[in-house]
Amino acid sequence: VRSRGVLVDDIDAVIDALEQFRQGGDLADQLILARASRAGALPVLSFDQRFSRCEGVERLPDRPVSS
């Protein structure tokens, strides 16, 4: 994030996401969660079972596959 030519919109959210990523999370999911948390836009809704275990994330029910 400190590389030349890289513009970071919310450095604190990126740092939080990287910390969670280090603990085994998905970087994109963690960045979404960090940004939503800072914006007061919780819960984050997700179909991802693993991500939904994070505080501030609510799992959506699986939808049946239509044929």
Side-chain angles (χ1 to χ4, degrees):
V1 297
R2 292 192 171 99
S3 298
R4 181 176 290 180
V6 174
L7 177 63
V8 177
D9 185 48
D10 185 346
I11 189 70
D12 292 328
V14 171
I15 290 169
D16 288 348
L18 287 169
E19 287 295 323
Q20 291 301 318
F21 176 69
R22 249 192 267 182
Q23 296 174 21
D26 178 88
L27 183 57
D29 286 343
Q30 295 304 326
L31 185 55
I32 290 167
L33 181 56
R35 294 294 307 263
S37 180
R38 289 181 175 347
L42 295 178
V44 171
L45 304 177
S46 177
F47 292 106
D48 186 323
Q49 187 174 22
R50 191 175 107 204
F51 183 43
S52 67
R53 291 186 207 127
C54 295
E55 186 175 335
V57 180
E58 186 176 309
R59 186 164 187 251
L60 294 169
D62 293 329
R63 291 185 160 199
V65 178
S66 57
S67 49

